[in-house]
C-alpha cells in the first residue's frame, strides 16, 4: 500500500468529557479524513486520550477511584461520544496502553544515549493546569502567564536539550511555509524560537502515575513528552510498517498547544530521533463563550451530543440529522486566525437561515417541483452551461480550501452553491415555464436536480447523514469520490416523493400543541350544499410574509395547471420556509377578495388552534395538484 494520508488530533486530557471546543478539532480531522478519502487517498485518522497528567490523578482521587479505573471509564465515554458525533477515526490511542508506554521508553532511551537527554537539578514553577514549567521571571503576579496557580518544584530531573535544535528548527520552518499554519501562528512560533529555546525538563518525581523512566523508576516521563510521542507510538514506530504513515500529513490542534509543544518540543524530539517532521501543524483559534475560551476549567462547557439532543425534536425528530446540524455549525464556525464566539442564538439562527433555508429548503423545492412538473422523473434536458460552470468552479474552490485546511472558507463555498440553487429557481421560475408549456422547463429542472446532486457530494465530508438523505431523495447511491460529484442525474431517472429534511426551529413549537376545545356542530347542510364548495389539492410553490400584516402569508399555489395567489392567516405558526413545497387543500371556487391591497384567489384549509392560531390541513400522502377533495 502507498503512503497513507495521516491525520491526528491532540490526545485529550481525561479530566473532562469532550465539549464543543474539543469537538471542533476532532471534527476538523474527521472532515479532512472523509474529504481525502473522496480524493482517492487512504486516510488514517488517529485520536485518543492523554491520561498521565497530574490533574487526571487528582480528578480520579476526587472521584474516589484509582487513576486507571477512572481513565478507563472516561476513555470509553470519549469513544462513545465521538461515535455519536459520527466521527470515523481509524485508531484511538490511550497513553496508558502498553504499545504507547514501550515506545515512550524507547524514545527516551535513544535520546539519552545520543546525549540529547541529561540529568540535572530542576528548580522552578509548575503549572498543574497546563502541565508547564515556568521560570520565576515568566510568572505574572505570582501566577502562570495563563493566570493559573503554580507550585514550586525542586527535583533532580532529566532535561531534553531543546536549545540544541533551535537553528535546525528555524531553518525547517523557514524552508517549509506549510509546516505551521495559519501564517499568524507560524510568525508566533518563529518569534518564540528566536527569543531562545531553553532545555526543558522531561521527567517528574514518580508518585505512581506515569511512564517510568527506563533504568530509573524514581521518575516518570513528563506528561507532554509522553503525550507527543502518541503520534508515532500509535503507528508502531520503530517496528513494522510505520513508514506507510509517517510523516503525518496534518496534525490538527488548537492554538493553545502549538507554540510551546507541537511546534517546538515535538519537532525537536523528532529531529533528535532523526525522523522526518509532520507536513503541517495546524493551530486553529478558539471557540469562545461569554468572551472566554470554552473549557472545563472555566466551567462554560456545552456537550456536543446534548446540544444535538436538545434540538433533535424541533429539527424534525432525527437524532443523526441533529448531530449533523452540530457538525454543520462547528464546521461553519471553524476559527481560522482569530477566535469565534458560540451562542445558542447564533446556533439557531445559522441553522434556520443556512441549513434550513439555503440548503434543505432549496433541495426540497427542487424535489417537490420534480414531482409536480416532471412526474418525479429527471426530464430530458441539458444542464444550463452558465450554472454548471459557476457550480463547478465553486466545487473546485471548496476542494482547494479543504486541501489547505480552510474549512471555514470551504463552508462559504458550500453556502454559495445553495445560493446558486435558490437563485436559479427564482430566476428561471419553473412554474411559469410549466404554465406556459415552455420546453426550457426540461433544461431548468435537470439543472436543478444536478445542483442538488452536487450539494450532496460537497456536503458529504461535513454532514454525512444529511448527504445520505439527499441521495435517497434522488434515489441515487452516495457520491463516493470528489471526481464523481454531480454524476448520476440522467434523463428518465425517477426520484423519491418530496419530503423536507430539516425543519425550522420554532421556539413556540411545543407550547402551541395544546389540547383543542371542540365546538358543537350547528346549522346542518345538505350534501348538495357541500358539493358547491370545490376543494382541490394544491402545492405551495413559494411563500412570503406580507409587510405590515404579521399574521398573513402570501402563498403562490399551483392547482392543476393553474397558479393562484392566496393570502392565509398562518404567519404566526408557519414561516414561509416551512410551507414551501407542502401540499395543502384550497377552496378553489371562492370569490376572489382583496386583503391589504393584495388579491386572494381562494382559501386554504386549516384547523383552529385553541390559541387562535392555525393548523394546516394537508393530504396524508402526495396527490397530483388539482385533485378534488370531498
Ligand atoms: O491540551 N476552542 O488536551 P486538552 C477550540 N492533552 N478548541 C478547543 C477548545 C476551544 N474552546 N477547547 C479545547 C491537551 N479545544 C493535551 C494535548 S497532544 C499531544 C496533548 C481543543 O484536553 C483544541 O484542539 O486540554 C485544544 O488544543 C485541545 O482541545 C486541548 O485539549
Amino acid at each position: 500500500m502507498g503512503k497513507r494520508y495521516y491525520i491526528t488530533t491532540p490526545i485529550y486530557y481525561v479530566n473532562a468529557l469532550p465539549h464543543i471546543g474539543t469537538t471542533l478539532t476532532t471534527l476538523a480531522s474527521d472532515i479532512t479524513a472523509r474529504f481525502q478519502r473522496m480524493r482517492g487517498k487512504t486516510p488514517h485518522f488517529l485520536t485518543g486520550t492523554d491520561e498521565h497528567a497530574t490533574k487526571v490523578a487528582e480528578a480520579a482521587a476526587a472521584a474516589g477511584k484509582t487513576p486507571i479505573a477512572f481513565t478507563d471509564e472516561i476513555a470509553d465515554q470519549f469513544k462513545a461520544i465521538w461515535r455519536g458525533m459520527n466521527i470515523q477515526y481509524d485508531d484511538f490511542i490511550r497513553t496508558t496502553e502498553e504499545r504507547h508506554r514501550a515506545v515512550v521508553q524507547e524514545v527516551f532511551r535513544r535520546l539519552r544515549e545520543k546525549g540529547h537527554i541529561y540529568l540535572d537539578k530542576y528548580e522552578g514553577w509548575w503549572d498543574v493546569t497546563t502541565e508547564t514549567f515556568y521560570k520565576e521571571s515568566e510568572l505574572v503576579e505570582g501566577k502562570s502567564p495563563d493566570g493559573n496557580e503554580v507550585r514550586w518544584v525542586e527535583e533532580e530531573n532529566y532535561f531534553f536539550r531543546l536549545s540544541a535544535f533551535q537553528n535546525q528548527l528555524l531553518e525547517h520552518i523557514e524552508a517549509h511555509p506549510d509546516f505551521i499554519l495559519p501564517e499568524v501562528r507560524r510568525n508566533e512560533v518563529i518569534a518564540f524560537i528566536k527569543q531562545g529555546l531553553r532545555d526543558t525538563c522531561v521527567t517528574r518525581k514518580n508518585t505512581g502515575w506515569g511512564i517510568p523512566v527506563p533504568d530509573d523508576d524514581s521518575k516518570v516521563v513528563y506528561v507532554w513528552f509522553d503525550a507527543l510521542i502518541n503520534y508515532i507510538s500509535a503507528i508502531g514506530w520503530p517496528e513494522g510498517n510505520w513508514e506507510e504513515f509517517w510523516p503525518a500529513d496534518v496534525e490538527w490542534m488548537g492554538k493553545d498547544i502549538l507554540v510551546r509543544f507541537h511546534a517546538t518540543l515535538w519537532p525537536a524530539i523528532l529531529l533528535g530521533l532523526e525522523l522526518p517532521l509532520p507536513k503541517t501543524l495546524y493551530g486553529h483559534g478558539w471557540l469562545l463563550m461569554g468572551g472566554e475560551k470554552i473549557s472545563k476549567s472555566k466551567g462554560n462547557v456545552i456537550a456536543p451530543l446534548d446540544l444535538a439532543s436538545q434540538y433533535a425534536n424541533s429539527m424534525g425528530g432525527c437524532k443523526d440529522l441533529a448531530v449533523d446540524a452540530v457538525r454543520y455549525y462547528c464546521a461553519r464556525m471553524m476559527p481560522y486566525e482569530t477566535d469565534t464566539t458560540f451562542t445558542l442564538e447564533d446556533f439557531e439562527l445559522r441553522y434556520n437561515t443556512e441549513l434550513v433555508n439555503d440548503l434543505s429548503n432549496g433541495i426540497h423545492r427542487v424535489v417537490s417541483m420534480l414531482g409536480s412538473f416532471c412526474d418525479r422523473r429527471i426530464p430530458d434536458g441539458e444542464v444550463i452551461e452558465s450554472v454548471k460552470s459557476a457550480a463547478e468552479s465553486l466545487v473546485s474552490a471548496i476542494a482547494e480550501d479543504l486541501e489547505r485546511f480552510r474549512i471555514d472558507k470551504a463552508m462559504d463555498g458550500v453556502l454559495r452553491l445553495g445560493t446558486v440553487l435558490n437563485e436559479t429557481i427564482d430566476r428561471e421560475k419553473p412554474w411559469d415555464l410549466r404554465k406556459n408549456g415552455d420546453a426550457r422547463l426540461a433544461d431548468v429542472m435537470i439543472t436543478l436536480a444536478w445542483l442538488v446532486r452536487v450539494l450532496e457530494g460537497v456536503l458529504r465530508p461535513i454532514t454525512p447523514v444529511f448527504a445520505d438523505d439527499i441521495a435517497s431523495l434522488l434515489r441515487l447511491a452516495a457520491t463516493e469520490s470528489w471526481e464523481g460529484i454531480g454524476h448520476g442525474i440522467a434523463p428518465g431517472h425517477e426520484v423519491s416523493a418530496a419530503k423536507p429534511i430539516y425543519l425550522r426551529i420554532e421556539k413556540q413549537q411545543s407550547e402551541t400543541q395544546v389540547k383543542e376545545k371542540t365546538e358543537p356542530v350547528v346549522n346542518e347542510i345538505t350534501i348538495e350544499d357541500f358539493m358547491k364548495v370545490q376543494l382541490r389539492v394544491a402545492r405551495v410553490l413559494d411563500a412570503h410574509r406580507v409587510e405590515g400584516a404579521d399574521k398573513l402569508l402570501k402563498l403562490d399555489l399551483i392547482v392543476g395547471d393553474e397558479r393562484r395567489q392566496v393570502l392565509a392567516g398562518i404567519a404566526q405558526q408557519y414561516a414561509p420556509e416551512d410551507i414551501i413545497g407542502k401540499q395543502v387543500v384550497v377552496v378553489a371556487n371562492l370569490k376572489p377578495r382583496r386583503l391589504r391591497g393584495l388579491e386572494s384567489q381562494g382559501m386554504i384549509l386549516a384547523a383552529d388552534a385553541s390559541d387562535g392560531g392555525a393548523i394546516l390541513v394537508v393530504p396524508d400522502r402526495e396527490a397530483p395538484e388539482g385533485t378534488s377533495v370531498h
Side-chain angles (χ1 to χ4, degrees):
M1 189 186 278
K3 165 87 174 67
R4 300 275 202 113
Y5 191 98
Y6 187 24
I7 305 156
T8 66
T9 72
I11 48 172
Y12 302 106
Y13 289 130
V14 286
N15 62 327
L17 289 176
H19 52 72
I20 198 97
T22 36
T23 302
L24 203 80
T25 320
T26 311
L27 177 71
S29 307
D30 188 58
I31 292 174
T32 312
R34 288 174 186 266
F35 167 69
Q36 288 297 342
R37 180 164 289 118
M38 286 180 83
R39 298 286 271 183
K41 303 265 172 60
T42 310
H44 184 76
F45 167 15
L46 172 73
T47 188
T49 42
D50 184 357
E51 305 190 5
H52 288 132
T54 314
K55 58 187 170 184
V56 171
E58 289 175 357
K65 297 191 172 133
T66 62
I68 194 68
F70 179 80
T71 58
D72 281 351
E73 267 175 38
I74 309 262
D76 282 347
Q77 291 183 47
F78 261 85
K79 290 180 188 168
I81 291 168
W82 294 147
R83 261 197 309 278
M85 288 306 296
N86 221 334
I87 300 290
Q88 284 181 344
Y89 56 77
D90 296 291
D91 193 4
F92 188 102
I93 182 123
R94 298 181 52 189
T95 54
T96 46
E97 284 175 71
E98 184 49 39
R99 61 170 172 158
H100 176 71
R101 177 195 184 89
V103 174
V104 170
Q105 291 186 328
E106 181 61 21
V107 169
F108 199 96
R109 220 176 268 122
R110 288 195 187 194
L111 294 178
R112 191 169 52 188
E113 272 163 22
K114 290 181 176 200
H116 298 315
I117 286 181
Y118 60 93
L119 201 57
D120 204 349
K121 181 141 192 264
Y122 179 76
E123 274 187 3
W125 294 98
W126 169 251
D127 173 349
V128 187
T129 315
T130 58
E131 302 276 354
T132 314
F133 293 106
Y134 290 105
K135 286 191 294 197
E136 179 77 37
S137 59
E138 288 177 302
L139 298 190
V140 181
E141 293 173 1
K143 295 196 171 172
S144 78
D146 298 334
N148 298 318
E149 294 298 331
V150 287
R151 297 177 192 172
W152 179 253
V153 175
E154 261 184 58
E155 289 169 2
E156 183 192 62
N157 267 316
Y158 285 96
F159 282 74
F160 174 62
R161 231 179 267 285
L162 185 58
S163 57
F165 296 97
Q166 176 166 328
N167 293 341
Q168 219 181 326
L169 232 120
L170 268 179
E171 278 162 25
H172 185 87
I173 294 171
E174 262 145 26
H176 299 85
D178 289 342
F179 177 49
I180 296 165
L181 290 175
E183 204 184 334
V184 56
R185 301 275 100 83
R186 178 171 184 261
N187 294 339
E188 265 172 38
V189 171
I190 294 174
F192 179 75
I193 298 176
K194 283 189 173 162
Q195 274 176 14
L197 293 178
R198 294 182 282 132
D199 291 354
T200 180
C201 181
V202 289
T203 57
R204 293 293 320 276
K205 192 162 84 194
N206 188 350
T207 52
W209 187 239
I211 299 179
V213 169
D215 314 315
D216 184 355
D217 61 12
S218 67
K219 300 175 184 60
V220 289
V221 175
Y222 168 46
V223 66
W224 265 104
F225 189 88
D226 160 351
L228 289 164
I229 292 168
N230 90 89
Y231 304 124
I232 55 171
S233 69
I235 52 168
W237 179 89
E239 317 271 324
N241 59 347
W242 62 274
E243 276 166 301
E244 254 178 42
F245 303 86
W246 197 255
D249 291 271
V250 59
E251 301 205 331
W252 277 98
M253 71 203 75
K255 64 181 183 182
D256 48 333
I257 56 175
L258 184 71
V259 178
R260 275 176 180 270
F261 302 111
H262 283 79
T264 44
L265 179 57
W266 175 226
I269 294 172
L270 290 167
L271 291 173
L273 293 170
E274 292 166 43
L275 284 176
L277 304 190
K279 290 192 189 147
T280 294
L281 302 168
Y282 196 102
H284 60 68
W286 287 335
L287 210 49
L288 309 177
M289 234 170 103
E292 287 195 288
K293 177 180 176 231
I294 295 181
S295 76
K296 162 86 179 181
S297 54
K298 303 259 184 335
N300 55 353
V301 160
I302 289 204
L305 287 178
D306 290 353
L307 187 63
S309 309
Q310 182 182 333
Y311 283 101
N313 275 341
S314 31
M315 289 175 174
C318 171
K319 178 79 191 294
D320 288 337
L321 279 173
V323 161
D324 267 4
V326 175
R327 290 176 59 109
Y328 173 86
Y329 183 77
C330 287
R332 179 81 174 116
M333 299 298 285
M334 193 61 67
Y336 171 55
E337 290 185 331
T338 51
D339 301 332
T340 51
T341 295
F342 174 90
T343 63
L344 281 181
E345 290 72 31
D346 187 52
F347 175 73
E348 289 182 13
L349 185 76
R350 284 191 191 272
Y351 171 82
N352 278 343
T353 54
E354 299 178 358
L355 195 51
V356 179
N357 282 10
D358 297 347
L359 300 171
S360 180
N361 276 353
I363 292 163
H364 184 57
R365 289 172 86 186
V366 174
V367 183
S368 297
M369 289 190 289
L370 282 170
S372 310
F373 305 155
C374 312
D375 276 340
R376 303 214 327 243
R377 292 201 181 267
I378 306 289
D380 193 1
E382 294 279 330
V383 175
I384 302 166
E385 203 42 54
S386 57
V387 177
K388 188 163 194 241
S389 67
E392 279 174 347
S393 54
L394 282 171
V395 173
S396 318
I398 293 169
E400 274 170 38
D401 290 332
L402 289 176
E403 287 288 356
R404 292 184 306 120
F405 317 112
R406 288 299 304 269
I407 293 178
D408 57 327
K409 284 194 78 187
M411 292 304 291
D412 287 342
V414 171
L415 270 175
R416 277 167 57 201
L417 273 173
T419 308
V420 170
L421 178 79
N422 287 300
E423 284 179 355
T424 309
I425 300 176
D426 296 341
R427 186 182 58 244
E428 302 290 346
K429 300 190 175 48
W431 45 91
D432 281 350
L433 300 177
R434 149 87 180 220
K435 191 170 145 196
N436 304 331
D438 193 326
R440 191 173 154 77
L441 180 67
D443 291 347
V444 171
M445 289 313 299
I446 197 170
T447 304
L448 295 174
W450 178 80
L451 280 172
V452 170
R453 179 61 158 167
V454 169
L455 272 171
E456 178 263 330
V458 298
L459 282 166
R460 195 152 277 287
I462 302 145
T463 52
V465 177
F466 182 29
D468 280 347
D469 277 15
I470 302 171
S472 76
L473 279 176
L474 293 175
R475 290 213 180 139
L476 289 172
T479 298
E480 285 190 353
S481 73
W482 198 263
E483 277 188 353
I485 285 181
H487 289 192
I489 298 294
H493 174 77
E494 189 176 349
V495 302
S496 300
K499 187 170 173 290
I501 300 177
Y502 281 111
L503 304 181
R504 267 179 83 82
I505 300 171
E506 296 292 355
K507 276 247 159 80
Q508 306 300 321
Q509 196 154 314
S510 54
E511 288 157 31
T512 57
Q513 288 164 1
V514 275
K515 205 166 171 289
E516 307 302 329
K517 167 168 103 252
T518 51
E519 285 173 27
V521 173
V522 287
N523 291 344
E524 283 177 351
I525 59 165
T526 63
I527 184 79
E528 288 74 25
D529 291 336
F530 174 72
M531 292 307 276
K532 286 188 196 152
V533 183
Q534 289 176 18
L535 298 175
R536 299 275 184 272
V537 171
R539 187 181 300 276
V540 182
L541 284 180
D542 214 347
H544 296 277
R545 294 187 189 279
V546 177
E547 223 172 288
D550 52 4
K551 290 198 176 149
L552 280 187
L553 282 189
K554 178 164 77 78
L555 307 178
D556 277 333
L557 300 184
I558 180 138
V559 191
D561 283 340
E562 222 187 310
R563 286 277 302 281
R564 294 281 185 104
Q565 171 174 295
V566 168
L567 296 165
I570 55 170
Q572 286 179 338
Q573 290 74 40
Y574 297 89
E577 302 76 34
D578 292 336
I579 181 167
I580 293 173
K582 269 207 167 92
Q583 285 199 327
V584 292
V585 177
V586 64
V587 181
N589 59 339
L590 194 70
K591 196 167 166 208
R593 59 184 184 136
R594 289 188 85 76
L595 286 169
R596 302 260 168 184
L598 295 165
E599 185 170 83
S600 181
Q601 303 155 333
M603 183 174 91
I604 59 166
L605 297 192
D608 294 333
S610 61
D611 62 353
I615 302 166
L616 274 187
V617 173
V618 296
D620 181 39
R621 62 189 172 85
E622 293 268 319
E625 281 84 50
T627 304
S628 296
V629 178
H630 299 288

